[in-house]
Amino acid sequence: MTKKPNQGTICVQSGWRPKNGEPRMLPIFQSTTFKYDDSDQMARLFDLKDTGYFYTRLQNPTNDTVADKIKELEGGVAAMLTSSGQAASFYSVFNVCEAGSHFIASNNIYGGTYNLFGVTMKKLGIDCTFFDPDCTNEEIERLIQPNTKCVFGETISNPGCHVFDIERFARMAHRHGLPLIIDNTFATPINCRPIEWGADIVIHSTTKYLDGHATSVGGCIVDSGNFDWLAHAEKFPGLCQPDASYHGLTYAKAFGKNAFITKATAQIMRDLGSIQSPFNAFLLNLGIETLHLRMQRHCQNAQRVAEFLSANEKVAWISYPGLPTDKYYSLGQKYLPDGSCGVIAFGLKGDRDTAIRFMDSLKMISIVTHVADARTCVLHPASHTHRQLSEEQLRAAGIAPDLIRLSVGIEDVEDIIADIKQALGE
């Protein structure tokens, strides 16, 4: 029996497998379209009777190669790249929802996703109810309605660094015939593989750790292939009833375990077009080749910084699942035994201006609207990424006005701590 390669080997070797005389590196297929010798070949592609490429808005060889690598890392059966993490969040939910649908989502997800689900998708006739993941099963299950189509959460929440109990919510979702969608951006498949804990769909903002160098915006959706759509056919007509735009083809019957990604590609991407550029996919692949090395360093550095901050008298509170005193330490040990991520949430004693003064005093660490790349950076979510939320919504999402999101990079940790010290006036 051939041994399954470890994650580090998949990062480096998976995806592009050149044949004799072909380029060693993944080529960039920077082409909008692809040539065929006769009309029937093209027609069969448009009818989904053959596999192949005809227009990059739907599929591209560079993109598919990188998606296959992420699929292998996550342990799924199929994957597709999107133009951004937001597009991945939207497509993953919209692929099972339509006007009149409802879904539930953790209330401490990324602010942009919170706004997408709570405001923008409502305009499409799709309602979202947010829940506190720390509530009892009974309290959360009361939110599930006859038209509820999925449950959504983040492995590690952005920016609060709360750990989501994947196995618990997978069991809950499955009891009601619902798929569980998990955003695994912060943990990455190096530190957690949600499918192994029962998740059905896994998404990423590849802009973050997978790219790792702040070069390319992108997203990815991975399907586990485990959810039985036909067993709940009445809930998922888009997958289980004929699609008039493909001559009455039914995805769940025609494509089996690949139904979800096939529909997302052939229907949602076809019509909405949030494709990742082949060049961005090429850069993403370069980032993934060192993902296993970088995540180890991110976690080592973040643990040291978290321990420094937790012992500092100027720090009012800190949230990092690697600290034994953290509320989510036990869940972290369960789902993230090798480390969580490089992101730390903390607050300083004082008021909002105290946080601003601290950030403005940093020298090496940059204030940027980004997180989870090689360079250490910082952000004040209440003033920046989550400023569209009201004070009530901020608190409901577990985001305190003084919360500082520190994304610890892979620099020398002594230099990171030294910059924090001087910004604290020490």
Side-chain angles (χ1 to χ4, degrees), residues 33-89:
T33 192
F34 301 83
K35 174 189 175 296
Y36 288 88
D37 292 334
D38 61 66
S39 178
D40 183 61
Q41 287 179 301
M42 183 73 79
R44 291 182 65 82
L45 291 171
F46 272 95
D47 284 343
L48 304 183
K49 293 179 180 178
D50 284 346
T51 59
Y53 301 96
F54 52 91
Y55 198 60
T56 285
R57 189 176 77 238
L58 278 87
Q59 289 180 283
N60 177 283
T62 305
N63 292 25
D64 282 359
T65 299
V66 181
D68 281 347
K69 177 179 284 191
I70 299 172
K71 172 202 73 179
E72 191 171 349
L73 284 167
E74 286 288 6
V77 298
M80 64 179 283
L81 297 187
T82 61
S83 60
S84 67
Q86 278 290 83
S89 296

Side-chain angles (χ1 to χ4, degrees), residues 2-319:
T2 304
K3 176 185 176 295
K4 180 185 178 298
N6 294 320
Q7 294 292 77
T9 302
I10 295 172
C11 285
V12 178
Q13 294 283 352
S14 186
W16 174 246
R17 293 182 173 86
K19 299 180 179 65
N20 186 50
E22 290 186 338
R24 182 66 185 88
M25 287 299 297
L26 170 67
I28 305 171
F29 289 87
Q30 195 67 41
S31 178
T32 62
T33 192
F34 301 83
K35 174 189 175 296
Y36 288 88
D37 292 334
D38 61 66
S39 178
D40 183 61
Q41 287 179 301
M42 183 73 79
R44 291 182 65 82
L45 291 171
F46 272 95
D47 284 343
L48 304 183
K49 293 179 180 178
D50 284 346
T51 59
Y53 301 96
F54 52 91
Y55 198 60
T56 285
R57 189 176 77 238
L58 278 87
Q59 289 180 283
N60 177 283
T62 305
N63 292 25
D64 282 359
T65 299
V66 181
D68 281 347
K69 177 179 284 191
I70 299 172
K71 172 202 73 179
E72 191 171 349
L73 284 167
E74 286 288 6
V77 298
M80 64 179 283
L81 297 187
T82 61
S83 60
S84 67
Q86 278 290 83
S89 296
F90 176 49
Y91 282 15
S92 66
V93 174
F94 193 57
N95 205 34
V96 296
C97 289
E98 56 191 29
S101 296
H102 169 263
F103 68 104
I104 65 172
S106 169
N107 66 358
N108 54 30
I109 56 177
Y110 166 59
T113 311
Y114 190 102
N115 195 70
L116 168 68
F117 290 171
V119 178
T120 303
M121 291 188 73
K122 191 180 291 290
K123 296 176 183 177
L124 300 176
I126 300 170
D127 286 329
C128 177
T129 302
F130 296 99
F131 62 86
D132 181 349
D134 293 333
C135 285
T136 65
N137 286 0
E138 292 74 18
E139 289 174 306
I140 297 171
E141 289 186 88
R142 281 200 291 268
L143 304 177
I144 296 174
Q145 305 169 15
N147 61 337
T148 302
K149 300 300 178 73
C150 64
V151 180
F152 187 99
E154 293 176 346
T155 307
I156 304 171
S157 68
N158 176 10
C161 297
H162 302 170
V163 180
F164 194 75
D165 194 342
I166 301 169
E167 189 173 37
R168 173 195 172 201
F169 285 100
R171 285 198 299 262
M172 186 186 306
H174 296 159
R175 277 199 301 272
H176 294 271
L178 305 175
L180 174 63
I181 303 173
I182 292 291
D183 184 335
N184 199 34
T185 296
F186 273 11
T188 82
I190 299 303
N191 288 340
C192 182
R193 284 161 50 108
I195 290 171
E196 295 177 353
W197 297 101
D200 300 291
I201 310 296
V202 175
I203 68 168
H204 287 273
S205 170
T206 62
T207 316
K208 311 304 190 298
Y209 285 122
L210 268 67
D211 169 79
H213 301 86
T215 65
S216 309
V217 173
C220 186
I221 305 173
V222 181
D223 181 14
S224 70
N226 293 331
F227 194 84
D228 188 346
W229 304 105
L230 287 172
H232 311 282
E234 73 287 350
K235 278 186 175 291
F236 306 105
L239 282 154
C240 301
Q241 292 182 11
D243 181 353
S245 68
Y246 282 107
H247 309 296
L249 176 147
T250 300
Y251 296 100
K253 293 179 180 178
F255 299 103
K257 288 182 177 294
N258 291 323
F260 184 90
I261 293 297
T262 302
K263 178 178 180 292
T265 302
Q267 185 189 85
I268 307 299
M269 187 66 79
R270 176 198 64 190
D271 293 345
L272 300 180
S274 297
I275 193 72
Q276 187 168 145
S277 80
F279 185 66
N280 276 16
F282 172 83
L283 294 176
L284 171 59
N285 186 61
L286 291 181
I288 295 173
E289 288 186 354
T290 61
L291 177 65
H292 58 300
L293 303 176
R294 289 185 288 104
M295 288 309 295
Q296 185 178 44
R297 181 61 173 257
H298 279 295
C299 292
Q300 289 173 347
N301 282 359
Q303 185 69 28
R304 285 278 308 279
V305 173
E307 290 168 357
F308 163 76
L309 290 171
S310 66
N312 192 287
E313 62 180 14
K314 295 184 180 180
V315 174
W317 61 272
I318 181 169
S319 178

